[in-house]
DNA sequence: AAGGTCCTGGGACCATAAGA
DNA sequence: TCTTATGGTCCCAGGACCTT
């Protein structure tokens, strides 16, 4: 059983929805997700627009398990504030797939983040650095609240009460669209987080601060003895928690509270839609995964459902081979 | 030379949850 | 109910670089 069959099904669903013209390449990304994912989600961040704009009721399935709407409301009240049922929560991530169990282990439950951009580069990552894996506990820390894990647990039902549910490592995927407004140039890909995380996140943050320090020393031509510099580096290596970094700070006597936010721009080698990877062509819809999680049986699963999908490999300069499934429109 | 495109840095602004 | 803290999106300007 493929551990991220949820994402594979999502990819297939997206192409089917596009083929049947339920959606177009230029439709809002959110709508594309909803039509592609159907009822496979355990969390949707913008449940309000899903319902109002796209006629998708996130709670639909659970509601139907109750005889009357009132019973559902009574049940949900003690778990999630009624106001939040159809809100736009602005939490991380945009979508979370349901978990499944296979041979006594959790699988699926992947994260999906949306990145939509008018130009050719990927929209910046704001505050949440992209990674390969995240578990529910980390998601709660990032959000500074537990709304996402609470809702996901409700949808995942019995599985959520099993041991290890909150610490199960979930694969992160990114639904990336570039040239969002151009019918002739648009590209859409479901991209494995491995395409973006080539250096562990903690390492990245610490090196940022080191760089800042070094740049200043250079600018002011200050010399610091190597052993002291060594100690500073050691100390800085403890700076890893993005939520601490991002919090606004109270500085004595200051009437403003400065706020550091880490945003990340994608190098073109980390942008599968850049001219680094000409194989990812215009008007194509792709699934791009690290070769290490690729399994042969995927070929069959995918070609059985959509025979026109082609498979090839691209080479990421830093993270090696990635397998691409591609459908061209 | 003119026009297009990409990359980078920066800014405006909005929505929501939690706290007061 | 109002305010605050925080996460998030979108857009723009300028320069580098490429193409015609």
């Amino acid at each position: 059983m493929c551990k991220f069959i949820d994402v594979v099904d999502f990819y297939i669903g997206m192409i089917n929805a596009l083929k049947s013209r339920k959606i177009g390449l230029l439709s809002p990304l959110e709508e594309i997700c909803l039509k592609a994912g159907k009822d496979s989600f355990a969390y949707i961040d913008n449940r309000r627009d899903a319902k109002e704009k796209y006629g998708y009721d996130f709670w639909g399935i659970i509601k139907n398990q109750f005889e009357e709407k009132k019973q559902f409301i009574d049940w949900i009240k003690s778990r999630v504030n009624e106001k939040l049922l159809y809100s736009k929560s602005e939490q991380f991530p945009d979508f979370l797939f349901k978990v499944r169990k296979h041979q006594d282990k959790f699988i699926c439950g992947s994260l999906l983040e949306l990145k939509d951009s008018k130009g050719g580069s990927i929209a910046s990552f704001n505050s949440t650095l992209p990674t390969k894996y995240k578990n529910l506990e980390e998601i709660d820390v990032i959000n500074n609240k537990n709304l996402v894990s609470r809702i996901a647990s409700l949808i995942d039902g019995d599985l959520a009460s099993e041991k290890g549910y909150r610490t199960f490592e979930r694969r992160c995927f990114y639904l990336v669209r570039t040239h969002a407004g151009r019918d002739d140039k648009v590209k859409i890909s479901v991209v494995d987080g491995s395409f973006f995380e080539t250096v562990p996140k903690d390492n990245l943050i610490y090196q940022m601060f080191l760089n800042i320090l070094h740049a200043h020393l250079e600018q002011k031509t200050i010399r610091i003895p190597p052993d002291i510099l060594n100690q500073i580096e050691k100390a800085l290596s403890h700076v890893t928690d993005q939520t601490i970094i991002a919090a606004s700070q109270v500085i004595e006597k200051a009437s403003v509270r400065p706020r550091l936010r880490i945003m990340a721009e994608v190098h073109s080698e980390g942008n599968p839609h850049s001219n680094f990877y000409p194989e990812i062509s215009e008007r194509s819809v792709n699934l791009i995964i690290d070769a290490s999680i690729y399994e042969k049986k995927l070929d069959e699963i995918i070609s059985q459902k959509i025979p026109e999908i082609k498979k090839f490999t691209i080479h990421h300069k830093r993270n090696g081979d990635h397998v691409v499934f591609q459908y061209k429109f």
Side-chain angles (χ1 to χ4, degrees), chain A residues 33 46 66 84 109 192 213 232 263 297 300 312 325 329:
Chain A
C33 282
N46 192 344
F66 293 86
L84 302 182
D192 191 339
L213 176 63
I232 295 175
M263 293 182 59
K297 61 190 167 204
E300 208 181 315
F312 54 86
F325 292 95
F329 282 89

Side-chain angles (χ1 to χ4, degrees), chain A residues 51-207:
Chain A
K51 191 180 182 203
E52 290 178 7
K53 287 193 183 166
Y54 312 119
Y56 182 107
D57 185 352
F58 174 69
W59 301 100
I61 292 182
I62 289 206
K63 256 188 201 168
N64 286 338
Q65 291 166 8
F66 293 86
E67 285 189 11
E68 281 181 61
K69 198 181 170 190
K70 190 178 172 305
Q71 286 175 300
F72 167 73
I73 298 291
D74 287 345
W75 173 81
I76 199 83
K77 256 185 188 166
S78 59
R79 294 161 172 89
V80 179
N81 184 329
E82 211 181 322
K83 268 189 194 161
L84 302 182
L85 292 184
Y86 297 102
S87 67
K88 180 177 181 175
S89 300
E90 302 279 10
Q91 303 293 299
F92 176 85
D94 292 324
F95 292 86
L96 202 57
F97 290 101
K98 292 174 183 169
V99 295
R100 302 181 202 181
K101 206 131 195 217
H102 184 250
Q103 291 176 346
D104 223 35
K105 280 189 174 158
F106 286 118
I107 59 166
C108 299
S110 310
L111 282 70
L112 188 69
E113 263 294 290
L114 272 45
K115 291 275 153 219
D116 206 12
S117 164
K118 293 206 163 147
S121 43
I122 297 178
S124 26
F125 289 94
N126 191 344
S127 306
T128 333
L129 291 171
T131 55
K132 277 188 222 179
Y133 294 102
K134 282 189 172 73
N135 63 38
L136 273 191
E137 290 191 343
E138 287 170 292
I139 291 173
D140 283 349
V141 170
I142 289 170
N143 290 327
N144 234 324
K145 45 183 90 79
N146 61 10
L147 182 70
V148 174
S149 65
R150 244 161 54 222
I151 290 182
S153 302
L154 287 179
I155 303 290
D156 279 330
D158 291 342
L159 285 180
S161 49
E162 289 192 23
K163 191 171 103 235
Y165 175 74
R166 288 180 54 82
T167 50
F168 158 60
E169 291 295 337
R170 297 151 179 267
R171 196 96 192 169
C172 304
F173 290 89
Y174 297 83
L175 178 63
V176 173
R177 176 166 64 183
T178 51
H179 292 288
R182 297 277 303 265
D183 195 49
D184 54 332
K185 303 187 68 173
V186 62
K187 299 179 185 180
I188 300 178
S189 298
V190 179
V191 186
D192 191 339
S194 67
F195 224 79
F196 305 120
E197 186 189 11
T198 59
V199 169
K201 197 184 71 166
D202 290 353
N203 211 295
L204 200 70
I205 294 175
Y206 142 70
Q207 294 206 36

Side-chain angles (χ1 to χ4, degrees), chain A residues 314-327:
Chain A
I314 55 176
H315 187 77
H316 187 295
K317 196 165 106 188
R318 303 185 195 280
N319 263 6
D321 285 346
H322 283 70
V323 176
V324 181
F325 292 95
Q326 181 174 76
Y327 185 97

Side-chain angles (χ1 to χ4, degrees), chain A residues 12-29:
Chain A
I12 301 275
M14 180 160 60
I15 290 172
N16 278 330
L18 284 161
K19 279 172 85 177
S20 63
R21 313 254 169 163
K22 280 188 193 140
I23 43 168
L25 291 171
L26 305 186
S27 301
L29 267 193

